[in-house]
């Protein structure tokens, strides 16, 4: 099954302890698609300026990403600038130029309105809602957000969450949204807001999946040299949603397996600046690392034990 | 197989956001034994003062803990006082009175010198070494430590590590010992110092096991209301070592399963102040929670999948 993603296509200027890039390709929809397209066809809806170099998306189109829904407006492409400290945790935003994103009103082409898998990347909840209003019969709506919206557009976000199936956010966002410092209590609280499944990203410690009165945990794939965390959350979502779209398995256990694909996609992404690693990565490499993470999580030897017994 | 543990038997005064206790039973050997004895016989070597109420250890003796190796010296029992903030992370030590521990020179009774499983709880590395010198043919030496020794007795600790099989420490200690902020790189560095297996405790995020050119991760059992983290590391070690002593399985995968027992033991311990929870806990409750953690880690449905397949 294919996936509709609405988010940003941007130029990022990023500085980390291991180096920096200026005006490099970025954006939530771009990162998401680079991972999701390894599993299923992806259709992007976004906006860029007339300064955007469309050739930079060739590698996505070669992966089966439909970029026809990317509108071009007069003006400059959305730009973000940030830096990371030694811990490579959350970025410090140095500059944000919305540019053409300022007046972005997503219009979903008619050819895109029957998609069953919809990923609402981190944009204004009002815009995420406007997207949902244009999709005819979504089967699985996955939504991301950020503190900026949790604090600035809380009412709109809460309204949106009633129509979301899986809400993906990080530990800090979960705490800010609920006031609960304990991620388990926070996830349970969010489950009362609409979504039936909550994914709490714990950074280097992995992810937490809550729903169906159950909790699942998956460790992160151990990356020894993180070069640039930018897009980690979006590539995680790309692998996670991509796996579900490929298998069609929406069970809670199936989702636990989908976390594996997302976690591994993110682990590749952080190994280079911008989309450097995702640009070259092939499915076989991702599958291989998924098996490695199955060993780390204890799934591999558990299978063997049962196979023997 | 039975276990020899050398550590402290103490009185703790602890304050957390959920309450406080004064001069409550504590100590690394006490916490360790409360968990380990649920799996295998335990022999404690420690020292207390003439103010110690030996009746407080009846619940351990009832669990098959041999306390005959606890020496009584003139003076006061070791006392520690600490407080925890809202995050319930590392304790802030308010006061430490070594008292009879000041001149503690562990003497291992002859009846204790043939133990194969030896847990060196967090005491002066010089004393941990003195203990090893008295054990005839240890098969599995597990060692804990703390930043105080990493900084103050580094040479002695490094000398000791050459004789340690499994080194258990937390993330901060691993970083302080190696200078590596990345726990994976830190664990690999420590593997060159002697131990063949490293367990890095990640607090609420679980544990990391490194060795045999492999990494295993296990999430923590999700405790929604932590009352008192004191002794979490020692009860973890108790379940971890206890499980290995019970099964005799020293394989890397067996150790991954042992982490489950340790993780669950610690999850019970933090649910009440001092040894309140460990005092009443029964093996069946621990086994039940181990199954719950197998579900959380994905081992349970992995078994089912293979069972079906």
């Amino acid at each position: 099954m294919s996936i509709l993603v609405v988010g940003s296509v941007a130029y990022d200027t990023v500085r980390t302890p291991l180096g920096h890039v200026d005006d490099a390709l970025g954006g939530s929809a771009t990162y998401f698609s680079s991972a999701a397209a390894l599993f299923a066809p992806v259709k992007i809806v976004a906006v860029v300026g007339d300064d955007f170099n469309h050739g930079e998306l060739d590698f996505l189109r070669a992966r089966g990403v439909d970029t026809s829904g990317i509108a071009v407006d007069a003006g400059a492409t959305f730009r973000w600038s940030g830096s990371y400290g030694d811990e490579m945790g959350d970025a410090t935003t140095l500059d944000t130029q919305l540019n053409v994103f300022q007046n972005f009103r997503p219009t979903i082409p008619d050819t895109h309105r029957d998609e069953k898998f919809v990923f609402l990347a981190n944009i204004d909840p009002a815009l995420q809602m406007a997207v949902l209003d244009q999709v005819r019969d979504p089967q699985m709506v996955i939504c991301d957000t950020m503190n900026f919206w949790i604090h600035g557009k809380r009412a709109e976000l809460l309204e949106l969450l009633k129509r979301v199936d899986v809400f993906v956010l990080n530990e800090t966002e979960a705490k800010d949204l609920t006031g609960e410092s304990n991620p388990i209590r926070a996830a349970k609280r969010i489950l009362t807001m609409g979504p039936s499944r909550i994914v709490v990203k714990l950074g280097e410690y992995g992810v937490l999946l809550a729903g169906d009165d159950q909790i699942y945990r998956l460790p992160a794939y151990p990356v020894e040299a993180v070069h640039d965390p930018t897009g980690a959350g979006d590539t995680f979502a790309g692998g996670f949603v991509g796996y579900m779209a490929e298998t069609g398995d929406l069970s809670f256990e199936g989702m636990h397996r989908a976390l594996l694909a997302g976690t591994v996609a993110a682990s590749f992404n952080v190994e280079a600046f911008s989309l450097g690693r995702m640009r070259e990565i092939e499915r076989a490499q991702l599958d291989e690392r998924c098996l490695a993470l199955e060993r780390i999580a204890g799934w591999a030897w558990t299978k063997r034990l049962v196979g023997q017994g």
Side-chain angles (χ1 to χ4, degrees), chain A residues 6-8 28 101 104 106 120-128 131 144-145 149:
Chain A
V6 181
S8 62
S28 56
F101 230 83
F104 179 48
L120 304 171
N122 166 33
I123 55 175
D124 184 330
L127 298 186
Q128 293 174 311
V131 168
D144 187 12
T145 193
W149 307 122

Side-chain angles (χ1 to χ4, degrees), chain A residues 161-174:
Chain A
L161 286 181
K162 296 174 185 171
R163 298 170 61 178
V164 168
D165 298 297
V166 181
F167 190 32
V168 179
L169 71 178
N170 68 33
E171 212 173 351
T172 313
E173 292 156 357

Side-chain angles (χ1 to χ4, degrees), chain A residues 14-59:
Chain A
V14 178
R15 181 172 300 280
T16 85
L18 295 188
H20 70 95
V21 286
D22 299 320
D23 281 339
L25 180 64
S28 56
T30 320
Y31 278 107
F32 174 88
S33 303
S34 71
L38 293 171
F39 297 88
V42 178
K43 298 176 179 180
I44 299 180
V45 168
V47 63
V48 295
D50 46 29
D51 63 342
F52 188 73
N53 172 4
H54 292 266
E56 297 197 64
L57 300 183
D58 287 345
F59 80 101

Side-chain angles (χ1 to χ4, degrees), chain A residues 103-117:
Chain A
N103 306 309
F104 179 48
R105 296 287 171 275
T107 306
I108 314 300
D110 194 65
T111 53
H112 292 29
R113 297 189 179 203
D114 288 313
E115 297 306 322
K116 299 306 177 195
F117 280 76

Side-chain angles (χ1 to χ4, degrees), chain A residues 161 167 169 174 177-178 186-195 198:
Chain A
L161 286 181
F167 190 32
L169 71 178
L177 179 60
T178 62
K188 288 185 174 178
R189 180 79 64 88
I190 299 171
L191 281 168
T192 66
M193 299 176 177
I198 310 297

